[in-house]
Amino acid sequence: MRIPILKLYDCLLVSIQWELDDATALQFQEDLLQKIHETSANGVVIDITSIDFIDSFIAKVLGDVFSMSKLMGAKVVITGIQPAVAITLIELGISLDDVMTALDLEKGLEKLQQELGE
Amino acid sequence: MRIPILKLYDCLLVSIQWELDDATALQFQEDLLQKIHETSANGVVIDITSIDFIDSFIAKVLGDVFSMSKLMGAKVVITGIQPAVAITLIELGISLDDVMTALDLEKGLEKLQQELGE
């Protein structure tokens, strides 16, 4: 299973709507970085509204994806972090300090476009 | 495998990036109609840029999805139809007469918003 990555103007949109298994998460990491490279995207919005539980491996992979995307020059906005996911991320020390967050996809996209417009 | 459906304002966005098997196509049909119902979406953009071949079953399911979405009151735009896919659709008699088409996701979304704005 692979997660589709949509290109909309200079941003990439990803919606993770089902719990990720380890292989899918790693494949997603590779696909996203490849897509950033291919499309020269300036920003990425990752919506995880539907995820209400993540384990430590997935949390680490997600944390890595954010850092890697930033290294490649793309700003990342995460939207729809659920309470349990927020707890897991912080408890695992994945602070996402420099990652922007928003309530939903629309707000995330607006935030990103504001940020990119500056 | 299920295909994620993104909600952006009053539209739904779907990008089909890998060849569909029969079960996935049927699941997608069910998911999309359910999501139209849940979100009261006015429009749907389905991007099939990455699909360069479809068989008769998938073509029929896609044709059905378009008709069903319209019945539910959502306008459908298909984007990125590849030459071989266009040939298959027409040869199978799936004319998509009332379905709007566009070159890519951006143009599809613009077309849909124009149409909905009228």
Side-chain angles (χ1 to χ4, degrees):
Chain A
M1 194 193 129
R2 295 168 80 166
I3 298 170
I5 300 164
L6 284 73
K7 185 185 157 289
L8 195 66
Y9 305 103
D10 59 346
C11 296
L12 298 179
L13 300 185
V14 188
S15 175
I16 301 176
Q17 305 197 328
W18 294 280
E19 310 298 328
L20 294 173
D21 58 55
D22 295 1
T24 308
L26 288 173
Q27 180 71 55
F28 166 63
Q29 176 175 308
E30 199 183 312
D31 287 348
L32 183 65
L33 299 179
Q34 185 60 34
K35 196 93 172 189
I36 292 175
H37 177 71
E38 271 170 26
T39 59
S40 315
N42 294 319
V44 182
V45 184
I46 302 177
D47 181 50
I48 56 171
T49 309
S50 315
I51 304 286
D52 36 41
F53 171 81
I54 53 171
D55 64 21
S56 60
F57 181 78
I58 303 292
K60 185 180 173 315
V61 172
L62 283 183
D64 288 353
V65 170
F66 308 146
S67 320
M68 291 168 185
S69 305
K70 216 160 49 183
L71 268 185
M72 291 184 69
K75 282 182 195 284
V76 180
V77 181
I78 324 261
T79 63
I81 294 182
Q82 300 288 326
V85 174
I87 292 171
T88 309
L89 286 171
I90 295 301
E91 282 187 347
L92 291 170
I94 297 170
S95 61
L96 305 181
D97 273 340
D98 313 318
V99 174
M100 292 178 283
T101 50
L103 198 68
D104 56 28
L105 196 60
E106 288 93 342
K107 293 209 178 67
L109 208 59
E110 276 162 22
K111 207 162 183 173
L112 192 57
Q113 273 160 352
Q114 238 170 38
E115 195 75 17
L116 292 175
E118 271 168 18
Chain B
M1 195 191 129
R2 295 168 80 163
I3 298 170
I5 299 165
L6 284 73
K7 184 185 157 290
L8 195 65
Y9 305 103
D10 60 345
C11 297
L12 298 179
L13 300 184
V14 187
S15 176
I16 301 175
Q17 306 197 327
W18 295 280
E19 311 298 328
L20 294 174
D21 58 55
D22 295 1
T24 308
L26 287 174
Q27 181 72 56
F28 165 63
Q29 176 175 308
E30 199 184 313
D31 287 347
L32 182 64
L33 299 179
Q34 185 60 36
K35 197 94 172 188
I36 292 174
H37 176 71
E38 270 170 26
T39 60
S40 316
N42 293 320
V44 182
V45 185
I46 301 176
D47 182 52
I48 56 170
T49 309
S50 315
I51 304 288
D52 35 41
F53 170 82
I54 54 170
D55 65 21
S56 59
F57 181 77
I58 303 293
K60 183 178 175 319
V61 172
L62 283 183
D64 288 352
V65 170
F66 308 146
S67 320
M68 292 168 184
S69 306
K70 217 162 47 185
L71 267 186
M72 293 185 66
K75 282 182 192 284
V76 179
V77 181
I78 322 260
T79 63
I81 295 183
Q82 300 287 327
V85 174
I87 293 170
T88 309
L89 286 172
I90 296 300
E91 284 187 345
L92 290 170
I94 297 169
S95 62
L96 304 181
D97 274 339
D98 313 317
V99 173
M100 293 178 283
T101 51
L103 199 68
D104 56 29
L105 196 60
E106 288 93 341
K107 292 207 178 71
L109 208 59
E110 277 162 22
K111 208 162 183 172
L112 192 57
Q113 274 160 351
Q114 240 169 37
E115 196 74 17
L116 293 175
E118 274 168 15

